[in-house]
Amino acid sequence: MKKAFMKNLSFSFISNIVVLLTSALSIFILPKFMAVEEFGLYQLYLLYFSYSGLLQLGWADGIFLKYGGLQYDDIDKREIKSHFIYSLIYSALISATVAVFLILYRSFDLRNLILIVSIVITVVTTPRGILYYILQGTGRMKEYSASVILGRLFFLLSIIGLVITHKTDFILLILCELLSQLLALMLSMYNMRDIFKVRILGLREFAPSIRTSINIGFKLLVANIASQLMLGQNRFAIESHWGIKVFSEVSLTLSISNLVLIFMNSASIVVFPFLKRIGIEKMRSIFFYISNAISVFSSLTLILYYPLVMIIALWLPQYENSIQFMGILFPIIIFEGKNSILLLTYLKALRKEKFIMLSNIISVLFSLFLVVISIYVFDSLKIMLIFIVVSLGFRMYFNEFFLSRFLSVKMTRNVKRGILLEILLVATFIVMNLIAVSELYKLGVIVALILIFVLVNKADLRKVYEEIFLK
């Protein structure tokens, strides 16, 4: 099992490297050749698109939870093909209906056009998501990674082509994104061609299975949407209150932080089926070891902030404000990294999707409260950004506390000490970047705290190494 886990992890790592390179190019190259406002409009499309999954009602999420942990040969291929075909038909009907409604009942401006395009693209992404989830859940990471790599490489080459021909228009970028998603879908269908050789089930016969998948996945969908709103409502508020230019600058900062998260999330894709197979007792015994190890590794990413600041200052001088924003927002990597890689994966494996939904709803309401305060009490963008970090930290510790209760494991003194050091590290990083001191001094203080963090958790790091690499 360990051999298979490491093999899947390597495939996931390779695909995420390609995603990372593509994202890095789009983040560091596109702003160089696009006006700040135009780059902001492209980021607005990505923001709208991130919520378009709401239209599929959790269909794909339910399939992931239902089939995750099974072997590919054990799944019912008629059911999977039926899910694919009916989701395709449903997506086409619902996206056409919503698009027509928006055209008829809303003023047809640029933002409305972006919203319509972000909805229409779900005709491709919803059925593709079902195939992706089947490949992930059944451990076929080689085929999953191939589809991801093909789609991202096409988009990568498209960006290079647009830059060379000086046609970095955000409409053309969106079109290239659509084509890349379509290519990824086609390769997934080819890799799962045995599924498409069988006949689909009749709608009347298959309707109960669709309802079951939606019932299972809807809680997870609501949880995912609420999770996206943690940052999304802040970004909507920034665009509305401070304008598209500030929105573009903040979006660049969040995109850079997300680059590191893409790299870290390589593990989360393969951890879910692994946890489903090892059983509750093993999950319980290794939980805090992995938790502390992830905290240590994610804290090391803070060092990346300093070379990234130099790159932005030299390469994108028009985004000077983004450097200030990143000094506040970069620590979200620590909170989001552990939450996505470990906590949410554990909760999904334990089938605690109802708790995930409740946790994210509570967190998004807390975040909304902080948004209102930052705008109507302080009218301060920096305070809003600090509150983003606070709200994400609140959600992570909330999830960790209740997950330890679900697993019936107690937080040891070492775990509590690690949490305090983690909070101290994040707070120090933010404060150091808000006050006027030299970059070398900031780096020295952060490195010293990280070394203390590593020393405190060295026993847990050794335990994780032994569990994954030596057994």
Side-chain angles (χ1 to χ4, degrees), residues 356-459:
I356 297 174
M357 179 180 70
L358 178 63
S359 168
N360 284 346
I361 290 174
I362 291 173
S363 300
V364 82
L365 290 175
F366 175 64
S367 177
L368 179 61
F369 172 71
L370 296 180
V371 168
V372 172
I373 291 177
S374 59
I375 291 178
Y376 295 104
V377 177
F378 297 104
D379 193 16
S380 169
L381 179 60
K382 286 185 178 180
I383 289 178
M384 175 181 280
L385 300 182
I386 292 172
F387 282 165
I388 289 175
V389 181
V390 170
S391 60
L392 292 174
F394 167 81
R395 181 177 62 175
M396 190 206 78
Y397 291 121
F398 184 83
N399 286 345
E400 186 167 25
F401 174 77
F402 279 97
L403 182 53
S404 66
R405 298 283 294 270
F406 295 144
L407 293 169
S408 300
V409 291
K410 292 184 178 180
M411 288 188 176
T412 63
R413 181 180 299 177
N414 192 51
V415 171
K416 294 176 181 177
R417 184 169 53 190
I419 290 173
L420 290 175
L421 277 172
E422 192 172 54
I423 294 172
L424 176 63
L425 177 62
V426 170
T428 303
F429 183 89
I430 293 174
V431 170
M432 295 292 287
N433 286 295
L434 287 174
I435 60 178
V437 293
S438 71
E439 295 297 315
L440 188 61
Y441 180 77
K442 295 177 186 177
L443 179 61
V445 172
I446 296 303
V447 169
L449 284 175
I450 290 174
L451 287 174
I452 294 171
F453 201 25
V454 171
L455 291 173
V456 167
N457 291 287
K458 65 179 181 179

Side-chain angles (χ1 to χ4, degrees), residues 106-116:
R106 288 188 59 172
S107 57
F108 194 75
D109 56 13
L110 197 55
R111 284 174 173 79
N112 198 30
L113 175 62
I114 293 172
L115 179 59
I116 290 170

Side-chain angles (χ1 to χ4, degrees), residues 8 30 132 139 204 237 260 265 380 384 419 434:
N8 286 336
L30 291 178
Y132 270 15
R204 182 174 298 179
V260 184
N265 285 345
S380 169
M384 175 181 280
I419 290 173
L434 287 174

Side-chain angles (χ1 to χ4, degrees), residues 203-417:
L203 182 57
R204 182 174 298 179
E205 177 187 0
F206 192 61
S209 182
I210 295 175
R211 284 197 298 269
T212 300
S213 296
I214 291 176
N215 287 338
I216 294 172
F218 186 73
K219 300 183 189 70
L220 196 56
L221 172 72
V222 173
N224 290 338
I225 294 298
S227 177
Q228 291 171 356
L229 279 171
M230 292 283 290
L231 290 174
Q233 64 187 354
N234 287 275
R235 294 178 70 188
F236 282 124
I238 289 168
E239 196 272 335
S240 175
H241 191 70
W242 284 287
I244 193 69
K245 184 175 185 296
V246 175
F247 171 82
S248 180
E249 293 166 341
V250 173
S251 293
L252 177 68
T253 298
L254 291 172
S255 297
I256 292 171
S257 301
N258 192 54
L259 278 180
V260 184
L261 286 172
I262 289 172
F263 182 78
M264 294 173 64
N265 285 345
S266 303
S268 64
I269 296 173
V270 297
V271 168
F272 176 75
F274 173 75
L275 291 176
K276 290 278 284 187
R277 291 167 185 161
I278 65 174
I280 185 68
E281 289 302 321
K282 189 66 174 177
M283 289 172 64
R284 182 180 291 120
S285 66
I286 65 175
F287 172 65
F288 276 125
Y289 298 126
I290 298 178
S291 176
N292 289 343
I294 291 174
S295 293
V296 170
F297 284 116
S298 58
S299 70
L300 293 173
T301 61
L302 293 182
I303 298 174
L304 294 174
Y305 165 80
Y306 299 96
L308 285 172
V309 163
M310 294 175 61
I311 292 171
I312 294 174
L314 293 172
W315 181 249
L316 300 171
Q318 69 270 38
Y319 285 87
E320 182 182 358
N321 290 334
S322 294
I323 295 175
Q324 302 176 33
F325 303 152
M326 193 163 72
I328 300 171
L329 288 173
F330 206 65
I332 67 174
I333 293 168
I334 292 179
F335 298 139
E336 284 294 88
K338 186 197 286 190
N339 195 59
S340 60
I341 295 172
L342 179 70
L343 303 181
L344 291 181
T345 308
Y346 256 78
L347 289 166
K348 289 175 186 177
L350 294 170
R351 293 301 307 274
K352 296 291 184 181
E353 54 266 21
K354 185 180 290 186
F355 172 79
I356 297 174
M357 179 180 70
L358 178 63
S359 168
N360 284 346
I361 290 174
I362 291 173
S363 300
V364 82
L365 290 175
F366 175 64
S367 177
L368 179 61
F369 172 71
L370 296 180
V371 168
V372 172
I373 291 177
S374 59
I375 291 178
Y376 295 104
V377 177
F378 297 104
D379 193 16
S380 169
L381 179 60
K382 286 185 178 180
I383 289 178
M384 175 181 280
L385 300 182
I386 292 172
F387 282 165
I388 289 175
V389 181
V390 170
S391 60
L392 292 174
F394 167 81
R395 181 177 62 175
M396 190 206 78
Y397 291 121
F398 184 83
N399 286 345
E400 186 167 25
F401 174 77
F402 279 97
L403 182 53
S404 66
R405 298 283 294 270
F406 295 144
L407 293 169
S408 300
V409 291
K410 292 184 178 180
M411 288 188 176
T412 63
R413 181 180 299 177
N414 192 51
V415 171
K416 294 176 181 177
R417 184 169 53 190

Side-chain angles (χ1 to χ4, degrees), residues 124-185:
V124 174
T125 56
T126 298
R128 187 216 59 186
I130 288 176
L131 299 187
Y132 270 15
Y133 275 149
I134 292 296
L135 291 173
Q136 289 176 24
T138 57
R140 294 188 64 181
M141 295 306 301
K142 181 179 179 180
E143 291 81 1
Y144 164 76
S145 299
S147 297
V148 172
I149 289 170
L150 176 65
R152 291 299 87 192
L153 278 179
F154 176 83
F155 188 60
L156 180 66
L157 294 173
S158 299
I159 292 175
I160 295 172
L162 292 175
V163 169
I164 292 173
T165 57
H166 305 288
K167 294 181 179 179
T168 49
D169 182 87
F170 79 96
I171 295 293
L172 290 176
L173 284 172
I174 293 172
L175 178 61
C176 291
E177 179 69 37
L178 173 59
L179 291 174
S180 71
Q181 302 278 4
L182 187 59
L183 280 174
L185 170 62

